[in-house]
Amino acid sequence: MSNSRVAIVTGAARGIGAATAKRLAEDGFAVAVVDLDEKQCAETVSAIGSAGGKALAVGADISDAEQVTAAVDRVAAELGAPQVLVNNAGVLRDNMLFKMSEDDWDTVMGVHLRGSFLMSRAAQKHMVEAGWGRIVNLSSTSALGNRGQANYSTAKAGLQGFTKTLAIELGKFGVTVNAIAPGFIATDMTKATAERVGMSFEDFSKAAVSAIPVGRAGKPEDIANAVSFFVDERSSFVSGQVLYVAGGPKA
Ligand code: NAP
């Protein structure tokens, strides 16, 4: 594994990030599992290790510039220069506009937009040096508008513009930048939403699935599979795209 390329996945302690980290390890990458709390990364790291892969747990708040610099430097020193970055970490602070606090707004912008910006800025220099790289940003079908998510929807739409601009700036260095916009995926995030609206997760999922053309909820592995495609060596002519992975054309 010592010659393998290095990938960073943020928010990889659980959910979509954990599935993505495991999938990239299967694809042959050494994976930095980044999340707020280093201890929370242990499960993903040991699952990768048991399957014969290589992973490193890194605790960092991606909305903090100093922590981001330290995290990316540590990955470069301990695993190798990162050439793949998946900006997956995310939070929800849902509320109707009239009840949304400034903190709710700033927290969501801080993690999704500022976090993806800081991580991309820190990681791109390794990609540019290598003349090869892949950045994948996690958007959402909520980018198209979703009641109670003025902050999240704005951030996820913003990530689409961010993706297209980085694709233009970094293309000549062999770096592609794409976004995935998941629909309903069963994770702790959607469980928390069900709780907030006062529904059991089963009823909440049933309601979501009734509007999904393929007739099932998404799994974290469905998103990991799309990440794997964008990151593939053979996907070098695909850049600046937003792929909706939602069991149909939209949520
Ligand atoms: P999740 O289960 O809530 O996992 C998100 C992870 O991000 C958590 O481990 C969380 O850590 C971490 N995180 C939050 N803030 C962070 C920060 N400042 N620095 C580092 N890590 C941080 O979410 P998920 O459902 O897997 O979602 C992953 C991504 O897909 C998110 O960007 C989300 O918006 C997007 N997405 C999800 C869905 C869906 O249906 N699930 C749909 C569309 C888009 P803590 O646990 O410590 O908070």
Side-chain angles (χ1 to χ4, degrees), residues 11 13-17 35-36 60-63 88-91 111-112 138-140 152 156 182-185 187-190:
R14 55 197 171 98
I16 293 169
D35 213 293
L36 273 176
D61 176 351
I62 58 148
S63 64
N88 165 83
V91 288
V111 177
H112 297 271
L138 266 290
S139 178
S140 167
Y152 184 78
K156 292 307 200 185
F184 181 84
I185 312 294
T187 68
D188 289 344
M189 187 176 268
T190 36

Side-chain angles (χ1 to χ4, degrees), residues 69-182:
T69 305
V72 174
D73 285 353
R74 190 176 154 211
V75 173
E78 293 184 34
L79 273 188
Q83 288 173 290
V84 170
L85 169 65
V86 184
N87 284 313
N88 165 83
V91 288
L92 291 179
R93 293 291 184 274
D94 293 356
N95 229 329
M96 295 297 282
L97 179 63
F98 74 103
K99 285 198 264 183
M100 189 171 283
S101 71
E102 288 157 48
D103 266 359
D104 291 339
W105 180 268
D106 292 342
T107 300
V108 168
M109 296 305 153
V111 177
H112 297 271
L113 287 180
R114 186 178 159 82
S116 300
F117 153 64
L118 292 172
M119 287 298 304
S120 301
R121 192 180 61 177
Q124 60 79 34
K125 69 171 191 285
H126 296 288
M127 301 180 193
V128 168
E129 261 169 35
W132 192 92
R134 301 279 187 261
I135 298 175
V136 181
N137 297 314
L138 266 290
S139 178
S140 167
T141 50
S142 293
L144 302 169
N146 200 22
R147 191 178 175 82
Q149 292 196 316
N151 49 4
Y152 184 78
S153 161
T154 302
K156 292 307 200 185
L159 279 171
Q160 297 192 9
F162 181 65
T163 298
K164 289 170 191 290
T165 298
L166 294 200
I168 292 167
E169 291 187 12
L170 298 174
K172 67 176 174 204
F173 303 107
V175 179
T176 67
V177 187
N178 292 285
I180 296 168

Side-chain angles (χ1 to χ4, degrees), residues 209-226:
V209 167
S210 69
I212 298 175
V214 302
R216 68 165 175 91
K219 302 179 299 246
E221 291 74 18
D222 293 317
I223 306 306
N225 192 48

